[in-house]
C-alpha cells in the first residue's frame, strides 16, 4: 500500500544543511498499526508530514496505492489528503475563535454530498468517542491542553480516513485517558484503518503491532511489537 | 512562602458555570519540588497560571512572601512575574519568526542593568543546558516539537527565577532527554529554586519531592514522593 524508497528531506540553512530524513526505506501495508519512536529531532514529524501529504521530500519516492505521490501538484496532494488522511498534529493546530464542534466538523465540509444534519451528528459522535461531548460548544482557547489534544484526535477520525497519522497523540493525557484513546485507535485499526503514531512513551507503543525507531533521520530498527 | 486559601476559579458559559478550581488550600515552601498530577481538565494549568501571575482567581487568597497577590494590579503582577517566575507553557508559546536564541534572550531584556554581551552569553548557556546550542539560530518553526519544548525550558530558566513553573515539560521528549531535563530541574532545585511541575507521567513525577493530585478542580491528595 505504501512504499518509501530512498526518501530524503533536507533543509538548507545558510552554509550548513540539516538532513532531517536520509535514505528512508520501508513498506507499510493496509491495516498496519505502527509506533514511530526516536529521539527529539530524529525526523519523526518530518516523515509524518510527508506521509500525510503536507510536505514533499527532497529526494526518493513515496508510492501510495501504486501512484508516485512525490510527483503530485499541490492540488492533487490536497485532494488526496482530504480523501484519505486523518492527521493529529504534535501542536494540535486547532482553529482559534472556533468551537470544538466546528473544529471537528471542518474535514467533513469538503464533502459536498453530506447534509448539515449528518455532518453535525458525525462530529458529535467523534467528540463522544474522546469524552468531550459536553465541551462541544467551548471555544478552542477555553479548553485544557488535553482537551485540545482530544479535539484534534476527533477531527482526525471524523471523516473515516484510510490512514490515521497521529503525532504524540497522548502527550498531554493522563494514563486513564491515554488507555481510552489507545482502545479507540485499536478499534479503528481492527475496522481497517492504517494507524501510524509517533510516541515517546513505551507503554503507548505497546498498543501497536510494529515499532519503527528513528535516529538522525534514518530508520535504525523496524520490528514486531512482542505479543501482538 | 506561598499560601493558597480557598482559591477558586470559575468561567461563566451562558447558563452553566465551569468550576476550574474549587476551594484549593495549600502551602508551598521555598525549595519545594512538587509534581502536580490529575486527569485532563482537572484544573492543573489553571492553578499554574494563577501561581505564575498570568491569571487572577475568582475567589480566595494567593499569598506570596507575605503579600496578597490576588489584589495586585496588572502592572504589579507583570513586574512580579518578570522578577520571580519562570514559566514553561503547555503549548510552549514561542514567538514565531524569532530564533531559538532570541526567544531565550527575551526574559533578560526586561533587565536594564545587563549588557548585550552578557545577555547573549546567558542565553547560549541556557540553550547548552537543554542540548540545543547548535540550534540557536534556527527560527522557532524550523525546530522539532521536542526542540521547541526545550527552548521554552531554556527561556524559563535563563533569568534565574525564584519559582520555576513547568506545565508538562517532557510531553514531547523521549526518555533519555526527559532524564536530562529532570536532572537539570533537580540541579536548579538544589540551588534553591522552587519547582512546580505538571506531569501526567509517573516516572517523571518520581523526580519531585512532593506529589499533589487534582480532580475536578480540587486537591484530593498531597504527599511526599516515596524515597525522596
Ligand atoms: N477560558 C476558559 N473558559 C471556559 N472554561 C475553561 C477555560 N479555560 C479552561 N477551562 C476549563 O477549565 C477546566 C480546567 O482546565 P485546565 O486547563 O486547568 O485543566 P488541566 O488540568 O490543565 O488539563 P490538561 O491535563 O488537559 O492540560 C477544564 O474543564 C477546561 O475546559
Ligand atoms: N523548517 C525547518 N528548517 C530547518 N530545519 C528543520 C525544519 N523543520 C525541522 N527541522 C529540523 O529537522 C530535524 C527533524 O525534525 P522533526 O520535527 O522531524 O523531528 P522529530 O523527530 O519529530 O522530533 P520531536 O520528537 O522533537 O518532535 C530537527 O533537527 C529539526 O531541527
Ligand atoms: Mg516531532
Ligand atoms: Mg493543562
Amino acid at each position: 500500500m505504501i512504499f518509501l524508497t530512498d526518501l530524503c528531506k533536507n533543509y538548507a540553512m545558510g552554509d550548513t544543511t540539516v538532513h532531517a530524513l536520509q535514505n528512508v526505506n520501508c513498506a507499510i501495508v493496509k491495516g498496519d498499526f505502527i509506533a514511530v519512536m526516536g529521539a527529539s529531532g530524529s525526523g519523526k514529524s518530518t516523515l509524518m508530514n510527508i506521509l500525510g501529504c503536507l510536505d514533499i521530500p527532497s529526494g526518493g519516492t513515496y508510492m501510495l496505492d501504486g501512484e508516485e505521490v512525490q510527483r503530485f501538484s499541490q492540488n492533487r496532494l490536497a485532494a488526496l489528503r482530504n480523501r484519505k488522511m486523518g492527521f493529529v498534529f504534535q501542536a494540535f493546530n486547532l482553529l482559534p475563535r472556533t468551537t470544538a464542534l466546528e473544529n471537528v466538523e471542518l474535514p467533513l465540509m469538503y464533502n459536498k454530498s453530506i447534509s448539515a444534519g449528518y455532518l453535525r451528528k458525525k462530529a458529535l459522535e467523534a467528540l463522544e468517542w474522546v469524552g468531550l461531548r459536553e465541551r462541544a460548544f467551548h471555544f478552542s482557547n477555553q479548553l485544557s491542553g488535553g482537551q485540545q489534544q482530544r479535539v484534534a484526535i476527533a477531527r482526525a477520525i471524523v471523516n473515516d480516513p484510510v490512514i490515521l497519522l497521529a503525532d504524540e497523540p497522548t502527550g498531554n493525557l493522563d494514563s486513564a485517558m491515554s488507555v481510552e484513546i489507545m482502545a479507540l485507535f485499536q478499534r479503528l485499526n481492527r475496522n481497517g484503518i492504517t494507524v501510524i503514531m509517533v510516541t515517546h512513551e513505551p507503554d503507548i507503543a505497546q498498543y501497536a503491532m510494529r515499532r519503527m525507531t528513528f535516529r538522525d533521520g534514518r530508520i535504525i530498527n523496524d520490528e514486531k511489537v512482542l505479543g501482538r
Side-chain angles (χ1 to χ4, degrees), chain A:
Chain A
M1 177 182 179
I2 289 176
F3 290 100
L4 303 180
T5 311
D6 282 338
L7 204 76
C8 296
K9 181 73 183 182
N10 306 318
Y11 295 103
M13 309 284 294
D15 54 352
T16 59
T17 303
V18 175
H19 299 285
L21 291 177
Q22 307 189 57
N23 300 106
V24 170
N25 289 280
C26 76
I28 298 172
V29 299
K30 183 159 162 55
D32 255 344
F33 189 158
I34 302 174
V36 177
M37 306 189 82
S40 174
S42 57
K44 309 179 295 295
S45 295
T46 304
L47 176 81
M48 298 285 274
N49 290 339
I50 289 170
L51 285 174
C53 302
L54 290 156
D55 195 11
I56 50 171
S58 312
T61 311
Y62 172 16
M63 187 87 82
L64 172 62
D65 294 339
E67 298 191 285
E68 285 196 28
V69 175
Q70 83 285 349
R71 295 177 186 275
F72 281 18
S73 66
Q74 284 294 337
N75 284 342
R76 269 190 92 186
L77 278 176
L80 177 57
R81 201 162 62 227
N82 293 333
R83 221 173 57 246
K84 292 195 176 183
M85 310 287 172
F87 210 115
V88 186
F89 295 94
Q90 193 167 6
F92 322 151
N93 297 359
L94 299 183
L95 293 182
R97 291 182 296 278
T98 310
T99 66
L101 185 63
E102 288 164 341
N103 267 286
V104 177
E105 287 176 336
L106 201 61
L108 294 168
M109 295 191 158
Y110 292 104
N111 190 338
K112 300 285 175 287
S113 63
I114 66 178
S115 69
Y118 181 67
L119 186 141
R120 173 138 301 199
K121 176 171 167 298
K122 289 240 0 163
L124 285 173
E125 182 183 56
L127 281 172
E128 181 83 38
W129 287 347
V130 298
L132 284 177
R133 177 70 183 79
E134 78 276 3
R135 285 280 182 272
F137 301 101
H138 276 228
F139 285 88
S140 46
N141 67 312
Q142 295 173 328
L143 299 170
S144 75
Q147 290 168 346
Q148 290 176 14
Q149 186 155 40
R150 285 182 279 152
V151 171
I153 292 167
R155 180 180 62 180
I157 64 180
V158 74
N159 204 13
D160 299 318
V162 169
I163 301 170
L164 172 61
L165 296 146
D167 201 339
E168 297 284 358
T170 63
N172 285 286
L173 304 177
D174 58 284
S175 328
M177 186 55 65
S178 298
V179 166
E180 284 189 41
I181 295 299
M182 284 304 110
L184 170 62
F185 280 20
Q186 284 186 328
R187 197 173 86 230
L188 296 170
N189 180 241
R190 280 196 298 272
N191 289 344
I193 295 179
T194 303
V195 180
I196 305 166
M197 124 183 128
V198 173
T199 183
H200 69 267
E201 296 185 59
D203 290 351
I204 299 299
Q206 282 302 111
Y207 288 87
M209 293 194 286
R210 179 178 165 192
R211 179 165 48 233
M212 201 182 273
T213 308
F214 272 79
R215 188 164 70 204
D216 299 328
R218 298 174 192 277
I219 297 176
I220 58 166
N221 200 8
D222 189 349
E223 57 182 11
K224 274 169 69 67
V225 171
L226 296 168
R228 306 269 292 111

